């Protein structure tokens, strides 16, 4: 029995043309795979519209959500009319979508009366986009002659009650998913499942976080022991770097889960590492593909690294960073300075993206987003006040406008000299490296450079991938 789970993102269901492409891909894949499940996002822009409606209602605006409701009706009705031209065949779907928009307006009205949108209300409202898109997509598939049924993941994905950031619970999710979907699959029906959403054990609707439909695809794939999970998006796959920075950027044919994790973490927002976990743990291959270029094989993500003769596979950047250096001779051999430093950083909720400390222990430096830099420096000055007074710490120095450039590739683990290739390439372009870090997984090397040097640094390192 071969089983494929395909997830389609917002742009892949963004209008009737995209949904027709989805339907053609589904029909095509049914020639190769015996069973196919489709997981979809809301039509692009819809989740934002729903959230804007909820927030404006909470702030006392009783008209915006009605305008949004009208636009949602129009958007879905236009797509449905094109996908299912036979009005009689479309009526059940159109009624169901209308009811969901009525529900949106009712929920926004209640939020307006309360003057507050609780996380639970926000999830009930933001879940509606996927609940509409599955109905639209299932109707389109049926009209194309592929038997399909819309499924709300509230029936199958059981989550913690953390509204907005819910996490699926096992074994319930696996049991419910299999009980609901396997009978459909056995009867040759394609289940079209909402991404992004789930429900608590008590049935309250939850969401998995923005962009969570990828995660849903992986959860369903794992629960069904799928043979492959395909994430359909609007690019051909994971690129060696941003093609705007380097014209010779290419799609990476095969990448390991660990490399992919580094890439996602370091800003190549293709997939969140959390998304990947359910499929990694089950050893299920994951493929990233383009809805609008279905002939392209995409990028295959596998559990073990595959050597391609190049230790570096990709280069990414994280921009608009600040590097903070805490410096002082008195720090040598004094325990607790690092703990107090990062305690102060954590106290303002800043996320640290990179840390480096030389073994001389005379300084610690770390990189944080630029917009929290002032708050972090202030917290450090307070948290390290006694060290500063004793001159154990001499200086807390922020350096603004820096960029983290990361070279990713599991091949560097066995290959000596990769770091030297990276630094020689940067030196040849006369790029000054401000700080360096290598994760102990040896799957990536990161350097901090000034923002003026960032693009040249990417191009210099990218040349090593070719
Ligand atoms: N519709 C949700 C969002 O916009 C989930 C997703 O698209 O993955 O965040
Ligand atoms: Mg998305």
């Amino acid at each position: 029995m071969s089983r494929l789970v395909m997830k389609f993102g917002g742009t892949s269901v963004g209008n009737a043309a995209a949904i027709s492409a989805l339907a053609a891909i589904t029909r095509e894949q049914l020639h190769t795979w015996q069973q196919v499940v489709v997981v979809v996002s809301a039509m692009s822009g819809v989740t934002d519209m729903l959230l804007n409606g909820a927030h404006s209602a909470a702030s006392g605006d009783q008209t915006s959500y009605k305008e949004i409701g009208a636009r949602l009706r129009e958007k879905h009705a236009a797509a449905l009319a094109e996908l299912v031209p036979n009005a009689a065949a479309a009526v059940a779907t159109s009624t169901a979508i209308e009811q969901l928009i009525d529900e949106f307006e009712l929920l926004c009205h209640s939020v307006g009366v309360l003057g507050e949108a609780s996380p639970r209300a926000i999830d009930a409202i933001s879940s509606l986009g996927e609940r509409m898109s599955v109905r639209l997509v299932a109707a389109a598939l049926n009209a194309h002659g592929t038997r399909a049924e819309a499924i709300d993941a509230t029936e199958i994905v059981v989550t913690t009650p953390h509204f907005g950031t819910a996490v699926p619970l096992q074994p319930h999710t696996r049991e419910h998913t299999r009980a609901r979907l396997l009978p459909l699959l056995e009867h040759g029906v394609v289940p079209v499942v909402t991404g992004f959403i789930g429900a608590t054990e008590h049935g309250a609707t939850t969401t998995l976080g923005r962009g969570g439909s990828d995660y849903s695809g992986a959860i369903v794939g794992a629960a069904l022991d799928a043979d492959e999970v395909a994430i359909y998006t609007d690019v051909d796959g994971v690129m060696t770097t941003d093609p705007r920075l380097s014209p010779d950027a290419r799609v990476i044919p095969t990448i390991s889960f660990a490399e992919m994790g580094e890439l996602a973490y370091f800003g190549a927002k293709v997939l969140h590492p959390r998304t990947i976990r359910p499929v990694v743990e089950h050893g299920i291959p994951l493929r990233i593909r383009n809805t609008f270029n279905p002939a392209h094989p995409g990028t295959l993500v596998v559990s073990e690294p595959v050597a391609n003769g190049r230790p570096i596979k990709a280069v990414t950047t994280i921009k608009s960073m600040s590097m903070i250096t805490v410096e002082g001779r008195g720090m040598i051999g004094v325990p607790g300075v690092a703990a107090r430093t990062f305690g102060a950083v954590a106290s303002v909720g800043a996320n640290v993206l990179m840390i480096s400390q030389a073994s001389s222990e005379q300084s610690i430096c770390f990189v944080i987003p630029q917009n929290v830099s002032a708050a972090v420096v202030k917290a450090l000055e307070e948290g390290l006040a006694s060290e500063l007074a004793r001159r154990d710490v001499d200086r807390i120095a922020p350096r603004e406008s820096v960029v983290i450039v990361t070279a990713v590739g599991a091949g560097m683990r066995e290959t000596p000299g990769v770091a030297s290739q990276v630094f020689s390439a940067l030196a040849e372009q006369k790029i000054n490296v401000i700080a360096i870090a290598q994760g102990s997984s040896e799957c990536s090397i990161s350097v901090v450079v000034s923002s003026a040097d960032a693009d040249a640094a990417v191009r210099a390192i990218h040349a090593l991938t070719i």
Side-chain angles (χ1 to χ4, degrees):
M1 183 55 59
S2 63
R3 194 173 282 158
L4 171 70
V5 173
M6 300 192 288
K7 178 262 167 178
F8 292 86
T11 51
S12 299
V13 294
N15 52 37
I19 296 173
S20 296
L22 175 162
I25 290 168
T26 305
R27 205 173 28 216
E28 182 67 31
Q29 294 293 357
L30 279 165
H31 296 310
T32 315
W33 304 84
Q34 285 161 304
Q35 299 185 345
V36 170
V37 178
V38 170
V39 176
V40 297
S41 290
M43 294 178 85
S44 52
V46 166
T47 310
D48 286 332
M49 288 166 78
L50 295 166
L51 288 169
N52 288 341
H55 292 304
S56 62
S59 65
D61 169 357
Q62 286 287 354
T63 54
S64 291
Y65 77 78
K66 290 178 191 148
E67 285 159 21
I68 292 170
R71 278 197 282 140
L72 289 171
R73 280 179 215 278
E74 205 185 286
K75 191 177 173 80
H76 289 84
L80 182 62
E82 215 176 311
L83 291 161
V84 189
N86 177 340
V91 66
T93 306
S94 124
T95 311
I97 292 176
E98 288 288 330
Q99 278 171 358
L100 290 167
I101 299 171
D102 292 345
E103 194 175 327
F104 163 72
E105 289 171 343
L106 199 64
L107 284 165
C108 286
H109 175 76
S110 318
V111 159
V113 170
L114 291 167
E116 168 190 61
S118 66
R120 181 173 172 152
I122 288 288
D123 275 7
I125 292 171
S126 62
S127 71
L128 293 166
E130 273 73 7
R131 292 172 64 198
M132 293 190 278
S133 66
V134 284
R135 286 163 173 80
L136 189 58
V137 169
L141 285 169
N142 282 310
H144 272 73
T146 303
R147 282 202 296 147
E149 184 175 326
I151 307 280
D152 286 331
T154 47
E155 289 187 57
I156 61 176
V157 176
V158 184
T159 74
T160 59
H162 299 104
F163 296 102
T165 53
V167 175
L169 293 172
Q170 299 298 355
H172 307 78
T173 296
R174 184 178 170 89
E175 283 165 8
H176 290 218
T177 304
R178 297 180 78 86
R180 183 72 174 91
L181 302 189
L182 290 181
L184 292 176
L185 290 168
E186 276 149 22
H187 286 93
V189 175
V190 173
V192 182
V193 183
T194 55
F196 184 51
I197 73 179
T200 65
E201 277 167 302
H202 303 295
T205 301
T206 53
T207 65
L208 309 174
R210 292 306 304 271
S213 295
D214 290 343
Y215 193 18
S216 304
I219 294 164
V220 171
L224 294 177
D225 299 323
D227 296 289
E228 184 174 307
V229 172
I231 306 283
Y232 278 85
T233 177
D234 50 11
V235 294
D236 284 339
V238 183
M239 306 283 288
T240 50
T241 195
D242 182 341
R244 285 167 303 184
L245 294 181
S246 204
D248 39 356
R250 308 169 316 283
V251 171
I252 304 172
T254 309
I255 191 167
S256 70
F257 285 119
E259 291 168 319
M260 190 66 197
E262 294 290 330
L263 273 178
Y265 183 72
F266 281 105
K269 294 196 179 69
V270 193
L271 270 189
H272 193 282
R274 190 179 66 162
T275 295
I276 302 177
R277 193 179 305 142
V279 288
V280 188
E281 283 170 354
H282 287 76
I284 301 170
L286 182 87
R287 203 182 278 280
I288 295 155
R289 304 193 70 164
N290 191 348
T291 306
F292 306 101
N293 185 13
H296 197 290
T299 296
L300 181 65
V301 189
V302 294
S303 54
E304 289 306 318
V306 180
N308 67 349
R310 292 283 164 191
I312 295 172
K313 281 209 173 130
V315 193
T316 62
T317 55
I318 316 183
K319 299 201 162 132
S320 303
M321 296 285 126
S322 282
M323 191 177 84
I324 314 277
T325 306
V326 176
E327 207 176 276
R329 284 180 218 293
M331 286 163 62
I332 304 171
V334 182
V337 178
R340 269 200 299 291
T341 299
F342 292 111
V345 177
S347 73
V348 296
N351 182 26
V352 177
L353 287 105
M354 182 178 141
I355 303 172
S356 132
Q357 181 183 28
S359 60
S360 70
E361 298 179 49
Q362 291 189 32
S363 69
I364 305 174
C365 75
F366 55 90
V367 179
I368 51 172
Q370 194 158 311
N371 60 4
V372 293
S373 158
V376 166
V377 170
K378 188 163 171 280
L380 284 169
E381 282 165 355
E382 286 164 15
L384 299 174
S386 53
E387 283 82 357
L388 281 161
R390 282 198 305 273
R391 305 293 306 272
D392 284 349
V393 170
D394 299 320
R395 225 158 62 96
I396 296 168
R399 177 166 182 159
E400 304 301 343
S401 300
V402 299
V403 172
I404 303 177
V405 179
T406 300
V408 178
M412 64 179 75
R413 201 175 292 159
E414 303 90 36
T415 319
V418 176
S420 95
Q421 284 177 33
V422 169
F423 295 116
S424 306
L426 294 171
E428 265 165 40
Q429 301 302 318
K430 306 202 168 21
I431 293 165
N432 179 40
V433 174
I434 302 168
I436 305 168
Q438 178 178 36
S440 57
S441 67
E442 285 187 57
C443 201
S444 69
I445 300 175
S446 295
V447 297
V448 177
V449 299
S450 78
S451 62
D453 285 337
D455 293 357
V458 169
R459 282 191 283 268
I461 299 173
H462 187 258
L464 300 173
T465 68
I466 296 170

